[in-house]
Amino acid sequence: MSHSHRNIKSALKPILLIVALFSFAVTAFSFAQEANADSTDEPHYSTVYKEAKKHLGTSYVYGAVGPTHFDCSGFTKYVYKKSIGKSLPRTAQAQYNGTKKVSKKNIQKGDLVYFGSSKSSISHVGMYIGNGRMIDSQNRGVVTEQVYAPWWHVVGFSHPTDLSYDD
């Protein structure tokens, strides 16, 4: 090997090292950006909850889908669509049938709570807001109330979409 060839080879080593380190840094940075994008792309529970709260006191009308009157499933369908663009089926039974089921112990804020005589005979739906409470449209209009009230018989829970939370 000639003397000049050895000089070129030794001169290339630091350049190759810099290129390798730069490539690693760019890869690590873009990976971090992707991971960050995933967490911020998830719709936020507070967006859904704020939309639901806007309608407290709105009157109940059977078959109504908002925004001036709601029935129970019309309310949950409207809130999810208006707040985060998530489409839900029209009726309480169809919302239960068409969304991912969760157990009582795994329920999260924003999940839906279903009521009726059985899982195949659902007559009411509300949105869980934490601490055993829900927001729903019923004969008193849109209200917040306890999930476990004497006039409701809980038959199931579902997770319509993944949401991110502050707490």
Side-chain angles (χ1 to χ4, degrees):
M1 199 186 283
S2 70
H3 181 68
S4 64
H5 194 70
R6 246 179 291 151
N7 283 345
I8 292 170
K9 195 173 179 184
S10 61
L12 279 176
K13 279 183 183 172
I15 293 168
L16 289 173
L17 181 64
I18 290 167
V19 168
L21 287 174
F22 180 75
S23 298
F24 176 75
V26 167
T27 303
F29 178 76
S30 65
F31 181 77
Q33 290 298 94
E34 277 179 37
N36 196 27
D38 287 348
S39 62
T40 55
D41 283 354
E42 219 166 64
H44 206 279
Y45 164 72
S46 64
T47 308
V48 178
Y49 180 58
K50 280 178 195 156
E51 184 60 40
K53 271 189 11 182
K54 277 188 210 171
H55 302 284
L56 283 169
T58 302
S59 60
Y60 177 92
V61 173
Y62 181 79
V65 294
T68 56
H69 306 291
F70 296 102
D71 69 7
C72 64
S73 55
F75 176 69
T76 51
K77 180 177 179 58
Y78 179 89
V79 165
Y80 261 94
K81 185 67 173 173
K82 178 85 171 157
S83 63
I84 61 169
K86 172 71 178 172
S87 291
L88 295 178
R90 173 59 190 98
T91 66
Q93 185 71 57
Q95 287 178 10
Y96 179 77
N97 294 348
T99 54
K100 180 183 168 193
K101 311 308 172 279
V102 291
S103 65
K104 178 182 173 181
K105 73 179 174 83
N106 291 325
I107 193 167
Q108 295 176 302
K109 291 187 237 177
D111 286 350
L112 300 179
V113 185
Y114 300 90
F115 306 85
S117 54
S118 71
K119 285 177 171 35
S120 60
S121 185
I122 290 170
S123 55
H124 187 66
V125 61
M127 185 180 83
Y128 187 69
I129 59 172
N131 299 317
R133 298 183 65 76
M134 68 177 171
I135 186 168
D136 64 324
S137 180
Q138 44 111 310
N139 58 10
R140 293 183 290 138
V142 177
V143 296
T144 59
E145 63 177 326
Q146 292 295 321
V147 169
Y148 293 96
W151 50 88
W152 296 127
H153 176 245
V154 177
V155 295
F157 310 90
S158 79
H159 187 72
T161 193
D162 290 335
L163 299 170
S164 60
Y165 304 89
D166 287 332
D167 48 3

